[in-house]
Amino acid sequence: MDKDINIKVKVWRQNGPKEKGRFETYELKNISQGSSFLEMLDILNEQLVNDGKIPVAFDHDCREGICGMCSLYINGHPHGPDGEITTCQLHMRSFDEGDTITIEPWRSAGFPIIKDLVVDRTAFEKIMQAGGYVSVNTGGIPDANAIPIPRDKAELAMDAAACIGCGACVAACKNGSAMLFVAAKVSQLALLPQGKPEAARRAKSMVAKMDELGFGNCTNIGACEVECPKNISISNIARLNREFLKAKLKD
Amino acid sequence: MSWLIKSSIGRKVIQSISGLFLILFLLFHMSMNVVLIFSHETYDFLANEILGANWWAIVGTLIIGLGVGVHIIYAIILTLQNWKARGRDRYASKSKTPVAWSSKNMFVLGVFIALFLIVHMYQMWYQMQFKDLFGMEGVRHDGAQLVVDVLSQTWVLIAYVVAFIALWFHLNHGFWSALHSVGWNNDIWMKRLKRLGYFVSTLIVLGFIVVAIAVHFGYSNLLA
Ligand code: HEM
Ligand code: FES
């Protein structure tokens, strides 16, 4: 049964990218366990505004687990203690009366802090721009059914395509590595005939961009897979390694 | 081939290949040690005639040394780069993500192994092949007796066992991780590779430890 609970939240506050940050602890009374985690933060911000203080900045958009905008490292887990969901899908029933909840931004050299809990994830955008697409070649529109795709390949490609690019993999990784993200983005296309012609170039340039932007070397710890809200498997990382090595050996 | 050192995946391939090579070497080394249990004479024959200070043994030693060197240098490079990639500010809350303990502690485990290696190289290799090569005093050709002398000291036995337990953890993660790094893995093979990794690491570590304990308590040269 959902109750109303009294909690404390310990939130990272940082005025700007270069400022020094600190934790602030706030008390919240009568939070319904039926409310979502972000609604709880909305209530906190209303309280702060009413007190004449500056509200906490945090990222969010769709609030239904598809856009990848929400982040937050909650009590030692990216996207909080509940499995296979994003922060916006997290509910207060994961917490109890009297809990102190620690809320931090993603921490990684590749994701610098902009303000409070908001980090700059344009690095992912840049990696995508380096090759995470299929070039559009104009001409007649081909019939989708004209290209046969084995069912298992289609399934694996769909699983990889579930990645919403939220960055939880990087946030969870002791090495600050973006390999799960890049692996998903390379795999979703490498598995399909449409992605094949550019597969080698894609793997090489996306990995090069990832390295250039300062993400770490993957040591196959697997924390990324555990915390991924979309259950992207690290088997994709093996596939990325394969694609990359194949491309390099062919050169 | 500069991508091997310039790209993250390339560096992982170097770490992986050197690690796999060291596993192969350890399998060979362990088999050789097992001979001690049965016959000191055969062991000394293998050590002096087949290996010893012959050119092929010297080339072999250099290759293994290179393997260890590359593995350690890349361990340091990877670990430092990853430390930097994590960013200067760390999480205040301790990570609660459940992951295999050994996977997070590969460097620390490696340091334990490396410390043991220094002692081990001094106690064995330096006394035999090294002194032989440079015509130094006190070179030992009675390898089996040297092993018995060294392992009869209790602290050596303890250091030996501790180092090999560290190696066991290192290889539990290292084995499948190495194959994953060169791209040989998928959802089906993951379980198999992990199990094979347990098997290989247990085989190697058990082999070394059993011989060490047997020698310490005088159960060697049983067929003589
Ligand atoms: C005989 C001794 C050793 C063997 C057989 C061995 C074997 C391995 C293997 C198979 C890997 C996996 C490579 C990969 O993931 O791609 C590995 C990784 C690693 N080793 Fe070793 N290693 C040994 C000694 C050492 C030493 C002395 C150090 C450090 C001082 C060390 C540090 C590391 C590190 C940091 C990694 C990377 C972690 C990872 O990729 O998961 N190792 N080792
Ligand atoms: S806000 Fe869109 S995924 Fe959470």
Side-chain angles (χ1 to χ4, degrees), chain A residues 23 73 75-77 104-105 107-109 171 173-175 211 214 216-221 227 233-235 238 241-242, chain B residues 3 7-8 11-12 78 81-82 85-86 89-97 103-104 173 176-177 180-181 183 185-187:
Chain A
F23 278 105
Y73 194 82
N75 283 353
H77 290 280
E104 303 174 68
R107 291 217 183 272
S108 151
C173 181
K174 171 176 167 292
N175 305 324
D211 291 345
N217 309 285
C218 171
T219 64
N220 306 319
I221 295 173
E227 296 294 1
S233 159
I234 58 169
S235 288
N241 291 336
R242 216 152 49 227
Chain B
W3 59 269
S7 69
S8 56
R11 289 187 289 269
K12 280 311 308 264
L78 289 170
Q81 287 182 335
N82 291 348
R86 199 74 192 86
D89 292 314
R90 305 283 152 148
Y91 290 117
S93 29
K94 204 170 150 24
S95 167
K96 295 222 186 67
T97 310
S103 71
K104 282 191 299 186
H173 178 71
W176 78 263
S177 172
H180 197 89
S181 296
N185 208 351
N186 59 33
D187 286 336

CSV table of all heavy atoms in Angstrom, one decimal, chain A residues 23 73 75-77 104-105 107-109 171 173-175 211 214 216-221 227 233-235 238 241-242, chain B residues 3 7-8 11-12 78 81-82 85-86 89-97 103-104 173 176-177 180-181 183 185-187:
chain,number,residue,atom,x,y,z
A,23,PHE,N,26.9,19.6,-1.4
A,23,PHE,CA,25.6,18.9,-1.1
A,23,PHE,C,24.7,19.8,-0.3
A,23,PHE,O,25.2,20.5,0.6
A,23,PHE,CB,25.8,17.6,-0.4
A,23,PHE,CG,26.1,16.5,-1.4
A,23,PHE,CD1,27.4,16.0,-1.5
A,23,PHE,CD2,25.2,15.9,-2.2
A,23,PHE,CE1,27.8,15.0,-2.4
A,23,PHE,CE2,25.5,14.9,-3.1
A,23,PHE,CZ,26.8,14.4,-3.1
A,73,TYR,N,22.1,10.1,-10.5
A,73,TYR,CA,22.7,9.0,-9.8
A,73,TYR,C,22.1,9.0,-8.4
A,73,TYR,O,22.4,9.9,-7.5
A,73,TYR,CB,24.2,9.2,-9.7
A,73,TYR,CG,25.1,8.0,-9.3
A,73,TYR,CD1,25.4,7.1,-10.3
A,73,TYR,CD2,25.6,7.9,-8.0
A,73,TYR,CE1,26.2,6.0,-10.0
A,73,TYR,CE2,26.4,6.8,-7.7
A,73,TYR,CZ,26.7,5.9,-8.7
A,73,TYR,OH,27.5,4.8,-8.4
A,75,ASN,N,21.3,7.2,-4.8
A,75,ASN,CA,21.7,6.2,-3.8
A,75,ASN,C,22.6,5.1,-4.4
A,75,ASN,O,22.5,3.9,-4.2
A,75,ASN,CB,20.5,5.5,-3.2
A,75,ASN,CG,19.8,6.4,-2.2
A,75,ASN,OD1,20.4,7.4,-1.8
A,75,ASN,ND2,18.7,6.0,-1.7
A,76,GLY,N,23.6,5.5,-5.2
A,76,GLY,CA,24.6,4.6,-5.7
A,76,GLY,C,24.2,3.9,-7.0
A,76,GLY,O,24.9,2.9,-7.4
A,77,HIS,N,23.1,4.2,-7.6
A,77,HIS,CA,22.7,3.7,-8.9
A,77,HIS,C,22.3,4.7,-9.9
A,77,HIS,O,21.5,5.6,-9.5
A,77,HIS,CB,21.4,2.8,-8.7
A,77,HIS,CG,21.5,1.6,-7.9
A,77,HIS,ND1,22.0,0.4,-8.5
A,77,HIS,CD2,21.2,1.3,-6.6
A,77,HIS,CE1,22.0,-0.5,-7.6
A,77,HIS,NE2,21.5,-0.1,-6.4
A,104,GLU,N,22.9,12.7,-7.1
A,104,GLU,CA,24.1,13.3,-7.7
A,104,GLU,C,24.0,13.3,-9.3
A,104,GLU,O,23.2,12.5,-9.8
A,104,GLU,CB,25.3,12.4,-7.4
A,104,GLU,CG,25.5,12.3,-5.9
A,104,GLU,CD,26.7,11.3,-5.5
A,104,GLU,OE1,27.8,11.7,-5.8
A,104,GLU,OE2,26.4,10.3,-5.0
A,105,PRO,N,24.7,14.2,-9.9
A,105,PRO,CA,24.7,14.2,-11.4
A,105,PRO,C,25.6,13.0,-11.9
A,105,PRO,O,26.3,12.4,-11.1
A,105,PRO,CB,25.4,15.5,-11.7
A,105,PRO,CG,26.3,15.8,-10.5
A,105,PRO,CD,25.6,15.2,-9.3
A,107,ARG,N,28.7,11.4,-13.2
A,107,ARG,CA,30.1,11.8,-13.0
A,107,ARG,C,31.0,11.1,-14.0
A,107,ARG,O,31.2,9.9,-13.9
A,107,ARG,CB,30.5,11.6,-11.6
A,107,ARG,CG,29.8,12.5,-10.6
A,107,ARG,CD,30.7,13.0,-9.5
A,107,ARG,NE,30.0,13.8,-8.5
A,107,ARG,CZ,29.9,15.1,-8.6
A,107,ARG,NH1,30.3,15.7,-9.7
A,107,ARG,NH2,29.3,15.8,-7.6
A,108,SER,N,31.6,11.9,-14.9
A,108,SER,CA,32.5,11.3,-15.9
A,108,SER,C,33.2,12.5,-16.6
A,108,SER,O,32.5,13.5,-16.8
A,108,SER,CB,31.7,10.5,-16.8
A,108,SER,OG,32.4,10.5,-18.1
A,109,ALA,N,34.4,12.3,-17.0
A,109,ALA,CA,35.1,13.4,-17.6
A,109,ALA,C,34.4,13.8,-19.0
A,109,ALA,O,34.4,14.9,-19.4
A,109,ALA,CB,36.6,13.0,-17.9
A,171,ALA,N,27.8,6.6,-16.7
A,171,ALA,CA,27.7,7.0,-15.3
A,171,ALA,C,28.0,5.8,-14.4
A,171,ALA,O,28.5,6.0,-13.3
A,171,ALA,CB,26.3,7.5,-15.0
A,173,CYS,N,30.1,3.3,-15.1
A,173,CYS,CA,31.3,2.7,-15.4
A,173,CYS,C,32.5,3.3,-14.6
A,173,CYS,O,32.7,4.5,-14.6
A,173,CYS,CB,31.7,2.8,-16.9
A,173,CYS,SG,33.2,2.1,-17.3
A,174,LYS,N,33.2,2.4,-14.0
A,174,LYS,CA,34.4,2.8,-13.2
A,174,LYS,C,35.5,3.4,-14.1
A,174,LYS,O,36.4,4.1,-13.7
A,174,LYS,CB,34.9,1.5,-12.5
A,174,LYS,CG,36.2,1.5,-11.8
A,174,LYS,CD,36.4,0.2,-11.2
A,174,LYS,CE,37.8,-0.1,-10.7
A,174,LYS,NZ,38.8,-0.2,-11.8
A,175,ASN,N,35.4,3.1,-15.4
A,175,ASN,CA,36.4,3.5,-16.4
A,175,ASN,C,35.9,4.7,-17.2
A,175,ASN,O,36.5,5.1,-18.1
A,175,ASN,CB,36.8,2.4,-17.3
A,175,ASN,CG,37.3,1.2,-16.6
A,175,ASN,OD1,37.9,1.3,-15.6
A,175,ASN,ND2,36.9,0.0,-17.1
A,211,ASP,N,37.1,7.9,-28.4
A,211,ASP,CA,38.4,8.0,-27.8
A,211,ASP,C,38.8,9.5,-27.6
A,211,ASP,O,39.3,10.0,-26.6
A,211,ASP,CB,39.4,7.3,-28.6
A,211,ASP,CG,39.2,5.8,-28.5
A,211,ASP,OD1,38.5,5.3,-27.6
A,211,ASP,OD2,39.8,5.1,-29.3
A,214,GLY,N,37.5,11.6,-24.8
A,214,GLY,CA,38.0,11.3,-23.5
A,214,GLY,C,37.3,10.3,-22.7
A,214,GLY,O,37.4,10.2,-21.4
A,216,GLY,N,36.8,6.4,-21.4
A,216,GLY,CA,37.8,5.4,-21.0
A,216,GLY,C,37.8,4.1,-21.8
A,216,GLY,O,37.0,3.9,-22.7
A,217,ASN,N,38.8,3.3,-21.5
A,217,ASN,CA,38.9,2.0,-22.1
A,217,ASN,C,38.1,1.0,-21.4
A,217,ASN,O,38.2,0.8,-20.2
A,217,ASN,CB,40.4,1.5,-22.0
A,217,ASN,CG,41.4,2.5,-22.5
A,217,ASN,OD1,41.5,2.8,-23.7
A,217,ASN,ND2,42.1,3.2,-21.6
A,218,CYS,N,37.3,0.2,-22.1
A,218,CYS,CA,36.4,-0.8,-21.5
A,218,CYS,C,37.2,-1.9,-20.9
A,218,CYS,O,38.0,-2.5,-21.6
A,218,CYS,CB,35.4,-1.3,-22.6
A,218,CYS,SG,34.4,-2.7,-22.0
A,219,THR,N,36.9,-2.3,-19.7
A,219,THR,CA,37.5,-3.5,-19.2
A,219,THR,C,36.5,-4.6,-18.8
A,219,THR,O,36.7,-5.5,-18.0
A,219,THR,CB,38.4,-3.3,-17.9
A,219,THR,OG1,37.6,-2.8,-16.9
A,219,THR,CG2,39.5,-2.2,-18.2
A,220,ASN,N,35.4,-4.5,-19.5
A,220,ASN,CA,34.4,-5.6,-19.4
A,220,ASN,C,33.9,-5.9,-18.0
A,220,ASN,O,33.7,-7.0,-17.6
A,220,ASN,CB,34.9,-6.9,-20.0
A,220,ASN,CG,35.4,-6.7,-21.5
A,220,ASN,OD1,34.8,-5.9,-22.2
A,220,ASN,ND2,36.5,-7.3,-21.8
A,221,ILE,N,33.7,-4.8,-17.2
A,221,ILE,CA,33.2,-5.0,-15.8
A,221,ILE,C,31.7,-5.4,-15.9
A,221,ILE,O,31.2,-6.2,-15.1
A,221,ILE,CB,33.4,-3.7,-15.0
A,221,ILE,CG1,34.9,-3.5,-14.8
A,221,ILE,CG2,32.7,-3.9,-13.6
A,221,ILE,CD1,35.3,-2.2,-14.2
A,227,GLU,N,23.0,-1.5,-15.2
A,227,GLU,CA,22.3,-0.3,-14.9
A,227,GLU,C,21.5,0.2,-16.1
A,227,GLU,O,20.7,1.2,-16.0
A,227,GLU,CB,23.2,0.8,-14.4
A,227,GLU,CG,23.9,0.4,-13.1
A,227,GLU,CD,22.9,0.4,-11.9
A,227,GLU,OE1,21.7,0.6,-12.1
A,227,GLU,OE2,23.3,0.1,-10.8
A,233,SER,N,22.7,-5.5,-24.0
A,233,SER,CA,23.6,-6.5,-23.6
A,233,SER,C,25.1,-6.1,-23.9
A,233,SER,O,25.3,-5.5,-25.0
A,233,SER,CB,23.2,-7.8,-24.2
A,233,SER,OG,24.3,-8.7,-24.3
A,234,ILE,N,26.0,-6.5,-23.1
A,234,ILE,CA,27.4,-6.2,-23.4
A,234,ILE,C,27.9,-7.1,-24.6
A,234,ILE,O,29.0,-6.9,-25.1
A,234,ILE,CB,28.4,-6.4,-22.2
A,234,ILE,CG1,28.4,-7.7,-21.6
A,234,ILE,CG2,28.1,-5.3,-21.2
A,234,ILE,CD1,29.5,-8.0,-20.6
A,235,SER,N,27.1,-8.1,-25.0
A,235,SER,CA,27.4,-8.8,-26.2
A,235,SER,C,27.6,-7.8,-27.4
A,235,SER,O,28.4,-8.1,-28.3
A,235,SER,CB,26.4,-9.8,-26.6
A,235,SER,OG,26.4,-10.9,-25.6
A,238,ALA,N,31.2,-6.9,-27.6
A,238,ALA,CA,32.0,-7.9,-28.3
A,238,ALA,C,31.8,-7.7,-29.8
A,238,ALA,O,32.8,-7.8,-30.6
A,238,ALA,CB,31.6,-9.3,-27.9
A,241,ASN,N,33.8,-4.7,-30.9
A,241,ASN,CA,35.2,-5.0,-31.0
A,241,ASN,C,35.5,-5.8,-32.3
A,241,ASN,O,36.4,-5.5,-33.0
A,241,ASN,CB,35.6,-5.9,-29.8
A,241,ASN,CG,35.6,-5.2,-28.5
A,241,ASN,OD1,35.7,-4.0,-28.5
A,241,ASN,ND2,35.4,-5.9,-27.4
A,242,ARG,N,34.6,-6.7,-32.6
A,242,ARG,CA,34.7,-7.5,-33.8
A,242,ARG,C,34.6,-6.6,-35.1
A,242,ARG,O,35.5,-6.7,-36.0
A,242,ARG,CB,33.5,-8.5,-33.9
A,242,ARG,CG,33.8,-9.8,-34.4
A,242,ARG,CD,32.9,-10.9,-33.8
A,242,ARG,NE,31.5,-10.7,-33.8
A,242,ARG,CZ,30.7,-10.9,-32.7
A,242,ARG,NH1,31.2,-11.3,-31.6
A,242,ARG,NH2,29.4,-10.7,-32.8
B,3,TRP,N,46.9,1.8,-35.0
B,3,TRP,CA,45.6,1.8,-34.3
B,3,TRP,C,45.7,0.9,-33.0
B,3,TRP,O,45.0,1.2,-32.1
B,3,TRP,CB,44.5,1.3,-35.2
B,3,TRP,CG,44.7,-0.1,-35.7
B,3,TRP,CD1,45.3,-0.4,-36.9
B,3,TRP,CD2,44.3,-1.3,-35.1
B,3,TRP,NE1,45.4,-1.8,-37.1
B,3,TRP,CE2,44.8,-2.4,-36.0
B,3,TRP,CE3,43.7,-1.7,-33.9
B,3,TRP,CZ2,44.5,-3.7,-35.7
B,3,TRP,CZ3,43.4,-3.0,-33.7
B,3,TRP,CH2,43.9,-4.0,-34.5
B,7,SER,N,44.0,3.4,-30.4
B,7,SER,CA,42.6,3.3,-30.1
B,7,SER,C,42.4,2.6,-28.9
B,7,SER,O,43.2,1.7,-28.5
B,7,SER,CB,41.9,2.7,-31.3
B,7,SER,OG,42.3,1.3,-31.4
B,8,SER,N,41.3,2.8,-28.2
B,8,SER,CA,41.0,2.1,-26.9
B,8,SER,C,40.8,0.6,-27.2
B,8,SER,O,41.4,-0.2,-26.4
B,8,SER,CB,39.7,2.7,-26.3
B,8,SER,OG,38.6,2.6,-27.2
B,11,ARG,N,44.3,-0.9,-27.7
B,11,ARG,CA,45.0,-1.1,-26.5
B,11,ARG,C,44.5,-2.3,-25.7
B,11,ARG,O,45.3,-3.1,-25.1
B,11,ARG,CB,44.9,0.1,-25.6
B,11,ARG,CG,45.7,1.3,-26.1
B,11,ARG,CD,45.8,2.5,-25.2
B,11,ARG,NE,44.5,3.2,-25.1
B,11,ARG,CZ,44.1,4.2,-25.8
B,11,ARG,NH1,44.9,4.7,-26.7
B,11,ARG,NH2,42.9,4.8,-25.6
B,12,LYS,N,43.2,-2.5,-25.8
B,12,LYS,CA,42.6,-3.7,-25.1
B,12,LYS,C,43.0,-5.0,-25.8
B,12,LYS,O,43.2,-6.0,-25.1
B,12,LYS,CB,41.1,-3.6,-25.1
B,12,LYS,CG,40.5,-2.7,-24.0
B,12,LYS,CD,41.0,-3.0,-22.6
B,12,LYS,CE,41.0,-4.4,-22.1
B,12,LYS,NZ,39.9,-4.8,-21.4
B,78,LEU,N,46.3,1.7,-19.3
B,78,LEU,CA,44.8,1.6,-19.3
B,78,LEU,C,44.2,2.2,-18.0
B,78,LEU,O,43.3,2.9,-18.0
B,78,LEU,CB,44.4,0.2,-19.5
B,78,LEU,CG,44.6,-0.5,-20.8
B,78,LEU,CD1,44.4,-2.0,-20.8
B,78,LEU,CD2,43.6,0.1,-21.9
B,81,GLN,N,44.5,6.0,-17.8
B,81,GLN,CA,43.6,6.7,-18.7
B,81,GLN,C,42.1,6.5,-18.2
B,81,GLN,O,41.3,7.5,-18.2
B,81,GLN,CB,43.6,6.0,-20.1
B,81,GLN,CG,44.9,6.4,-20.9
B,81,GLN,CD,44.9,5.8,-22.2
B,81,GLN,OE1,44.3,4.8,-22.5
B,81,GLN,NE2,45.7,6.4,-23.1
B,82,ASN,N,41.8,5.4,-17.6
B,82,ASN,CA,40.5,5.2,-17.1
B,82,ASN,C,40.2,6.0,-15.9
B,82,ASN,O,39.1,6.5,-15.6
B,82,ASN,CB,40.2,3.7,-16.8
B,82,ASN,CG,40.2,2.9,-18.1
B,82,ASN,OD1,40.1,3.5,-19.2
B,82,ASN,ND2,40.3,1.6,-18.0
B,85,ALA,N,39.4,9.4,-17.2
B,85,ALA,CA,38.2,9.4,-17.9
B,85,ALA,C,37.0,9.5,-16.9
B,85,ALA,O,35.9,9.9,-17.2
B,85,ALA,CB,38.0,8.2,-18.8
B,86,ARG,N,37.3,9.0,-15.7
B,86,ARG,CA,36.2,9.0,-14.6
B,86,ARG,C,35.9,10.4,-14.2
B,86,ARG,O,34.9,10.6,-13.5
B,86,ARG,CB,36.7,8.1,-13.5
B,86,ARG,CG,35.6,7.6,-12.6
B,86,ARG,CD,34.9,6.5,-13.3
B,86,ARG,NE,33.6,6.2,-12.6
B,86,ARG,CZ,32.5,6.9,-12.8
B,86,ARG,NH1,32.5,7.9,-13.6
B,86,ARG,NH2,31.4,6.5,-12.1
B,89,ASP,N,35.8,14.8,-10.1
B,89,ASP,CA,34.8,14.6,-9.0
B,89,ASP,C,34.2,13.2,-9.0
B,89,ASP,O,33.8,12.7,-10.0
B,89,ASP,CB,33.7,15.7,-9.2
B,89,ASP,CG,34.2,17.1,-9.0
B,89,ASP,OD1,34.9,17.3,-8.0
B,89,ASP,OD2,33.9,18.0,-9.8
B,90,ARG,N,34.2,12.7,-7.8
B,90,ARG,CA,33.7,11.3,-7.7
B,90,ARG,C,32.3,11.3,-7.0
B,90,ARG,O,31.9,12.3,-6.4
B,90,ARG,CB,34.7,10.5,-6.8
B,90,ARG,CG,36.1,10.5,-7.3
B,90,ARG,CD,36.2,9.5,-8.5
B,90,ARG,NE,37.3,10.0,-9.4
B,90,ARG,CZ,38.0,9.1,-10.1
B,90,ARG,NH1,37.8,7.8,-10.0
B,90,ARG,NH2,38.9,9.6,-10.9
B,91,TYR,N,31.6,10.2,-7.2
B,91,TYR,CA,30.3,10.1,-6.5
B,91,TYR,C,30.6,10.0,-5.0
B,91,TYR,O,31.5,9.5,-4.5
B,91,TYR,CB,29.7,8.8,-6.9
B,91,TYR,CG,29.2,8.7,-8.3
B,91,TYR,CD1,29.7,7.8,-9.2
B,91,TYR,CD2,28.2,9.6,-8.7
B,91,TYR,CE1,29.2,7.8,-10.5
B,91,TYR,CE2,27.8,9.6,-10.1
B,91,TYR,CZ,28.3,8.7,-10.9
B,91,TYR,OH,27.9,8.6,-12.2
B,92,ALA,N,29.6,10.7,-4.2
B,92,ALA,CA,29.7,10.6,-2.8
B,92,ALA,C,29.2,9.3,-2.3
B,92,ALA,O,29.7,8.7,-1.3
B,92,ALA,CB,28.9,11.8,-2.2
B,93,SER,N,28.1,8.8,-3.0
B,93,SER,CA,27.6,7.5,-2.5
B,93,SER,C,28.3,6.4,-3.2
B,93,SER,O,28.8,6.5,-4.3
B,93,SER,CB,26.1,7.4,-2.8
B,93,SER,OG,25.7,8.2,-4.0
B,94,LYS,N,28.5,5.3,-2.4
B,94,LYS,CA,29.3,4.2,-2.9
B,94,LYS,C,28.4,3.5,-4.0
B,94,LYS,O,27.2,3.3,-3.8
B,94,LYS,CB,29.5,3.2,-1.7
B,94,LYS,CG,30.7,2.3,-1.9
B,94,LYS,CD,30.9,1.6,-0.5
B,94,LYS,CE,31.6,0.3,-0.7
B,94,LYS,NZ,32.3,-0.1,-1.8
B,95,SER,N,29.0,3.0,-5.0
B,95,SER,CA,28.3,2.3,-6.1
B,95,SER,C,27.6,1.1,-5.6
B,95,SER,O,28.2,0.3,-4.8
B,95,SER,CB,29.2,1.9,-7.2
B,95,SER,OG,28.6,1.0,-8.1
B,96,LYS,N,26.3,0.9,-5.9
B,96,LYS,CA,25.6,-0.3,-5.4
B,96,LYS,C,25.4,-1.2,-6.6
B,96,LYS,O,24.6,-2.2,-6.5
B,96,LYS,CB,24.3,0.1,-4.8
B,96,LYS,CG,24.5,0.9,-3.5
B,96,LYS,CD,23.5,0.4,-2.4
B,96,LYS,CE,23.6,1.2,-1.1
B,96,LYS,NZ,23.1,2.6,-1.4
B,97,THR,N,26.0,-0.9,-7.8
B,97,THR,CA,25.8,-1.8,-8.9
B,97,THR,C,26.5,-3.1,-8.7
B,97,THR,O,27.7,-3.2,-8.4
B,97,THR,CB,26.4,-1.1,-10.2
B,97,THR,OG1,25.9,0.2,-10.3
B,97,THR,CG2,26.0,-1.9,-11.4
B,103,SER,N,36.5,-8.2,-11.4
B,103,SER,CA,36.5,-7.3,-12.6
B,103,SER,C,36.9,-5.9,-12.2
B,103,SER,O,37.4,-5.1,-13.0
B,103,SER,CB,35.2,-7.4,-13.3
B,103,SER,OG,34.2,-6.7,-12.5
B,104,LYS,N,36.6,-5.5,-10.9
B,104,LYS,CA,36.9,-4.1,-10.5
B,104,LYS,C,38.3,-4.0,-9.9
B,104,LYS,O,38.8,-2.9,-9.7
B,104,LYS,CB,35.9,-3.7,-9.4
B,104,LYS,CG,34.5,-3.3,-9.9
B,104,LYS,CD,33.7,-2.7,-8.7
B,104,LYS,CE,33.6,-3.6,-7.6
B,104,LYS,NZ,32.7,-3.1,-6.5
B,173,HIS,N,38.2,-13.2,-14.2
B,173,HIS,CA,37.7,-12.2,-15.1
B,173,HIS,C,38.5,-12.1,-16.4
B,173,HIS,O,38.0,-12.0,-17.4
B,173,HIS,CB,37.8,-10.8,-14.4
B,173,HIS,CG,37.3,-9.7,-15.2
B,173,HIS,ND1,36.0,-9.5,-15.6
B,173,HIS,CD2,38.0,-8.7,-15.9
B,173,HIS,CE1,35.9,-8.5,-16.4
B,173,HIS,NE2,37.1,-8.0,-16.6
B,176,TRP,N,37.7,-14.6,-19.8
B,176,TRP,CA,36.6,-14.3,-20.7
B,176,TRP,C,36.7,-12.9,-21.2
B,176,TRP,O,36.4,-12.6,-22.4
B,176,TRP,CB,35.3,-14.6,-20.1
B,176,TRP,CG,34.7,-13.6,-19.1
B,176,TRP,CD1,34.8,-13.6,-17.8
B,176,TRP,CD2,34.0,-12.3,-19.4
B,176,TRP,NE1,34.3,-12.5,-17.2
B,176,TRP,CE2,33.8,-11.7,-18.2
B,176,TRP,CE3,33.6,-11.7,-20.6
B,176,TRP,CZ2,33.1,-10.5,-18.1
B,176,TRP,CZ3,33.0,-10.5,-20.5
B,176,TRP,CH2,32.7,-9.9,-19.3
B,177,SER,N,37.3,-12.0,-20.4
B,177,SER,CA,37.4,-10.6,-20.8
B,177,SER,C,38.4,-10.5,-22.0
B,177,SER,O,38.1,-9.7,-22.9
B,177,SER,CB,38.0,-9.8,-19.6
B,177,SER,OG,38.3,-8.5,-20.0
B,180,HIS,N,36.5,-11.5,-25.0
B,180,HIS,CA,35.5,-10.5,-25.3
B,180,HIS,C,36.2,-9.3,-26.0
B,180,HIS,O,35.7,-8.8,-27.0
B,180,HIS,CB,34.9,-10.1,-24.0
B,180,HIS,CG,33.6,-9.3,-24.1
B,180,HIS,ND1,32.4,-9.9,-24.1
B,180,HIS,CD2,33.3,-8.0,-24.2
B,180,HIS,CE1,31.4,-9.0,-24.2
B,180,HIS,NE2,32.0,-7.8,-24.3
B,181,SER,N,37.4,-9.0,-25.5
B,181,SER,CA,38.1,-7.8,-26.1
B,181,SER,C,38.5,-8.0,-27.5
B,181,SER,O,38.6,-7.1,-28.3
B,181,SER,CB,39.4,-7.5,-25.3
B,181,SER,OG,39.0,-7.2,-23.9
B,183,GLY,N,36.7,-9.7,-29.5
B,183,GLY,CA,35.4,-9.8,-30.3
B,183,GLY,C,34.8,-11.2,-30.3
B,183,GLY,O,33.8,-11.4,-30.9
B,185,ASN,N,32.7,-13.2,-28.6
B,185,ASN,CA,31.7,-13.5,-27.6
B,185,ASN,C,30.3,-13.1,-28.1
B,185,ASN,O,30.2,-12.3,-29.0
B,185,ASN,CB,32.0,-12.6,-26.3
B,185,ASN,CG,31.5,-13.3,-25.0
B,185,ASN,OD1,30.8,-14.3,-25.1
B,185,ASN,ND2,31.9,-12.8,-23.9
B,186,ASN,N,29.3,-13.7,-27.5
B,186,ASN,CA,27.9,-13.3,-27.7
B,186,ASN,C,27.1,-13.8,-26.6
B,186,ASN,O,27.7,-14.4,-25.6
B,186,ASN,CB,27.4,-13.8,-29.1
B,186,ASN,CG,27.5,-15.3,-29.2
B,186,ASN,OD1,27.3,-16.0,-28.2
B,186,ASN,ND2,27.7,-15.8,-30.4
B,187,ASP,N,25.8,-13.6,-26.6
B,187,ASP,CA,25.0,-14.0,-25.5
B,187,ASP,C,25.1,-15.5,-25.1
B,187,ASP,O,25.0,-15.9,-24.0
B,187,ASP,CB,23.5,-13.7,-25.8
B,187,ASP,CG,23.2,-12.2,-25.7
B,187,ASP,OD1,24.0,-11.5,-25.0
B,187,ASP,OD2,22.3,-11.7,-26.3
